[in-house]
Amino acid sequence: MNTPLPPVEELALIDRELAQLDARRLYLLGRRDWLVRLLHQPSTGPAVWAAPGRGPAPAPATEASAPSAQNVLLALGAVLLAVAALAFTLLSWGSLGITGRSAVLAAVTAAALGAPVPRCAAVWARRRSRWRRWDCC
């Protein structure tokens, strides 16, 4: 072996690493024995997958569900598209003729009127029901 360390220091380094490996091996053997005992005991209820004395196992991290991630990406894309359209309109408004300006205003109006607003309808329905409860006269 070609090492820049003197033999005495290399021997000390190897001894330390072997001691660490022995400690890790003992830990893994103990963990293996505990798991084997856990698998061979009759189950009386839901198993808790944690070592004895260590407390309950942490809950696994939940990933974002596909629909929610898709909705976030869709909303982000719509916002970026709106910003790009607004920037384009603001920068080119002066060079647009009367026909171009009318077309832009008509498109914005049509988009605003055609956009579904289901949450607003639900909010208004709840408010109307609350108002009806207070309307006692």
Side-chain angles (χ1 to χ4, degrees), residues 66-93:
S68 67
Q70 287 175 352
N71 289 341
V72 168
L73 289 174
L74 180 64
L76 183 62
V79 167
L80 290 175
L81 185 62
V83 168
L86 182 66
F88 171 76
T89 303
L90 289 176
L91 293 176
S92 64
W93 189 258

Side-chain angles (χ1 to χ4, degrees), residues 26-133:
L26 287 175
Y27 167 76
L28 290 174
L29 285 173
R31 181 75 177 169
R32 181 185 181 279
D33 288 339
W34 178 78
L35 288 171
V36 168
R37 279 189 313 239
L38 183 71
L39 290 175
H40 288 298
Q41 74 183 7
S43 65
T44 58
V48 177
W49 300 105
R54 291 184 184 226
T62 58
E63 293 184 13
S65 64
S68 67
Q70 287 175 352
N71 289 341
V72 168
L73 289 174
L74 180 64
L76 183 62
V79 167
L80 290 175
L81 185 62
V83 168
L86 182 66
F88 171 76
T89 303
L90 289 176
L91 293 176
S92 64
W93 189 258
S95 62
L96 289 175
I98 190 71
T99 308
R101 290 179 187 175
S102 300
V104 168
L105 288 174
V108 169
T109 303
L113 291 175
V117 191
R119 286 193 79 141
C120 290
V123 168
W124 281 109
R126 278 194 309 246
R127 286 185 184 167
R128 274 186 294 211
S129 68
R130 273 191 251 146
W131 291 336
R132 285 187 191 136
R133 278 185 284 163

